[in-house]
Amino acid sequence: MAFARTCSVALVGVEGVVVEVQADLEPGVAAFTLVGLPDKSLTESKDRVRAAVVNSGAAWPQKKLTVGLSPASVPKSGSGFDLAVAAAVLGAAERIDPRVLADIVMIGELGLDGRVRPVRGVLPAVLAAADAGYEQVVVPECAAVEASLVPGVSVLGVRSLRQLIAILADEPVPDEAQDEQGRPDPLLAGLRVPGTGAATGMHSAGTAHDHGHDLADVVGQTSARTAVEVAAAGGHHLFLEGPPGAGKTMLAERLPAILPRLGRQESLEVTAVHSVAGLLPPGKPLIDVAPYCAPHHSATMQALVGGGQGIARPGAVSLSHRGVLFLDETPEFNSQALDALRQPLEAGHVVIARSAGVVRFPAKFLMVLAANPCPCGRFSQRDDLCECPPSAIRRYQARLSGPLLDRVDLRVEVDRITRTELTAVGAGGESTSTVADRVRAARERSVERLAGTPWCTNSEVPGRELRSRWYAVPGAMDEAERNLERGVLTARGLDRVLRVAWTVADLVGHDRPDATDVALALQLRTGVPRGVPMAIGALT
């Protein structure tokens, strides 16, 4: 029977659909037809596969060849089907036993010389294959480590089509010549795509980007340092407002270093997004540190939330999944792009509808906003250095919409550094390691308290659950409730004060939030002094 089938995976966002690749040979004029809703890059695979098969020493069948991709209703894109198409054709031509191919998932692009090149999204593709019940996967050799992160799947890494044919036909496996030492491997070019996510400001996700940075480098800013610590411990969003040079960017850059390392499931989620985006660094297949993404203020809505032509690509909110999204000079961003962040802030994911399909990307991130108080940056209640007219200040501050700011738990004014603080000799603030240990302990307390629920951090707990299951000390919320009656807080704001109070209680080791914890949460929310120490170390 001149028919064979094998499997590959079509990616829609970070979710995969197993696709059956069928090849059929019939007598007639030699022709190659590819059906099953392929895109342009997949249609071009006909020429790549034919050249790769011939240059691998196998005979190309001189018959009418039809290759079908099933289910035909699912859009298929990319060059990752090349390897499966070549194997199915060789199976139909009886160069390979068709029975061997039926239960194997193959992912990889073919070069004209038969080499197997890596493609983006290997990890989510293998995850989809494992969920569908497949146990054998063939991937490019340089992507085998990434594919091996999925448990319960046997991974075969091949460098060329010749090697795959020999392995499946039970023949001696040929040795492939390695590239010269010291020269970059051209096969690794498929793992990182130039220009992909160029406006997202991604740091290298493979290693912690905070080398040489320490919280002790930040001079003064007790309130802002406390806000950063609380944000890390509870996953709360943060807004830093202050003049240029006060340390807003320094604080944001040091925030990922005090976040706990990612768990196994979180690491797989983050790695899958970066693999699809083409930002997964070679040699570091698993991302186990919180990513940090700082897009430029000229970034478009597509760069922030995802999109683009054809199948949508992940944006900054997804690339910062389980990490930090830092928006410096926030009022300079497009207002529509900023308001598009409201849904992912609440839902933890973003859904993008395009003509080519609907994709869903994860987007659970810790957002840090930084802004100057006015266009010149010198406006302050303490001095009159600002020369901006009141109307200009109002217009500038109004660029951040109320609904967006209402979703931010912590709002802190970063003061101008004085000469005495900057030139003082002696011990500075607490180091990153000290704060990170306290944050880790607070996270452990919240995880223990929320065991058996779908939530892990205080910022994720709905307000209804907080009010019905986790109470503060009797009378502790009285001042916050009075602020609600006076209109200082919204109903959502009152729930967020309680969430922050729980985080403060976890940091200082209290079983339940007391009046001091709530007062500190109110001060971090409203900016109004409440007469409590601002340093967490002073409360313990």
Side-chain angles (χ1 to χ4, degrees), residues 125-498:
V126 177
L127 285 170
D131 291 341
Y134 290 87
E135 299 178 352
Q136 291 181 299
V137 177
V138 178
V139 298
E141 184 181 62
C142 51
V145 178
E146 178 184 349
S148 300
L149 297 174
V150 182
V153 177
S154 175
V155 177
L156 172 63
V158 294
R159 193 172 182 86
S160 68
L161 182 60
R162 284 181 290 271
Q163 289 184 342
L164 179 61
I165 295 173
I167 292 172
L168 297 179
D170 198 16
E171 299 172 355
V173 180
D175 293 330
E176 294 293 340
Q178 298 289 332
D179 293 301
E180 296 181 15
Q181 295 295 328
R183 296 183 59 186
D185 189 345
L187 294 182
L188 297 179
L191 294 177
R192 291 182 67 87
V193 180
T196 302
T200 58
M202 278 299 303
H203 284 258
S204 175
T207 57
H209 69 278
D210 61 300
H211 292 312
H213 296 76
D214 196 289
L215 266 177
D217 300 334
V218 181
V219 177
Q221 308 301 359
T222 303
S223 299
R225 288 171 58 95
T226 299
V228 167
E229 182 176 347
V230 172
H236 305 285
H237 305 304
L238 173 63
F239 177 39
L240 300 173
E241 184 180 29
K248 302 186 294 295
T249 302
M250 289 182 65
L251 288 164
E253 289 178 342
R254 285 153 178 77
L255 175 56
I258 64 176
L259 290 173
R261 297 187 77 88
L262 301 178
R264 178 71 178 183
Q265 183 60 37
E266 295 172 338
S267 296
L268 290 177
E269 293 175 5
V270 174
T271 303
V273 174
H274 286 73
S275 179
V276 169
L279 295 173
L280 192 63
K284 184 68 175 179
L286 183 66
I287 300 175
D288 57 359
V289 295
Y292 175 82
C293 189
H296 191 259
H297 65 259
S298 62
T300 62
M301 184 185 300
Q302 289 75 18
L304 283 181
V305 301
Q309 297 180 350
I311 299 296
R313 299 290 172 82
V317 296
S318 298
L319 295 175
S320 57
H321 179 59
R322 303 291 184 183
V324 177
L325 174 65
F326 177 48
L327 302 181
D328 198 7
E329 305 293 346
T330 310
E332 302 296 338
F333 280 79
N334 180 276
S335 59
Q336 291 182 344
L338 288 177
D339 287 337
L341 299 177
R342 297 185 200 172
Q343 288 84 359
L345 284 175
E346 292 289 340
H349 63 266
V350 58
V351 178
I352 304 171
R354 295 291 184 269
S355 59
V358 179
V359 298
R360 180 180 184 274
F361 293 115
K364 284 187 177 181
F365 56 91
L366 195 164
M367 182 178 68
V368 180
L369 307 178
N372 296 327
C374 67
C376 75
R378 294 179 293 179
F379 175 76
S380 175
Q381 301 291 343
R382 302 179 180 180
D383 49 49
D384 55 355
L385 298 177
C386 177
E387 299 178 356
C388 301
S391 59
I393 298 176
R394 285 195 300 269
R395 283 195 304 269
Y396 187 79
Q397 295 179 348
R399 293 180 184 179
L400 298 180
S401 66
L404 177 63
L405 289 179
D406 198 37
R407 289 167 168 82
V408 179
D409 298 348
L410 311 172
R411 307 175 190 174
V412 178
E413 183 176 349
V414 182
D415 297 326
R416 185 179 291 106
I417 300 299
T418 64
R419 176 183 177 182
T420 302
E421 292 174 327
L422 193 60
T423 59
V425 178
E430 293 177 314
S431 65
T432 293
S433 59
T434 301
V435 176
D437 291 340
R438 204 156 51 220
V439 168
R440 190 181 307 109
R443 286 281 184 113
E444 291 173 354
R445 293 190 186 98
S446 63
V447 169
E448 182 179 355
R449 182 176 63 253
L450 300 174
T453 70
W455 314 295
C456 297
T457 59
N458 294 321
S459 63
E460 299 173 356
V461 183
R464 173 177 52 83
E465 297 290 337
L466 281 173
R467 294 189 298 271
S468 61
R469 295 178 60 180
W470 292 288
Y471 305 98
V473 172
M477 291 293 294
D478 290 348
E479 181 64 24
E481 292 168 356
R482 284 194 289 269
N483 277 264
L484 174 66
E485 294 175 350
R486 292 196 295 264
V488 178
L489 293 176
T490 63
R492 179 193 285 126
L494 182 65
D495 290 340
R496 293 184 180 276
V497 167
L498 183 54

Side-chain angles (χ1 to χ4, degrees), residues 87-108:
V89 171
L90 293 173
E94 299 183 350
R95 176 64 178 86
I96 302 174
D97 187 351
R99 293 172 296 182
V100 177
L101 302 173
D103 296 324
I104 301 178
V105 175
M106 300 186 182
I107 305 164

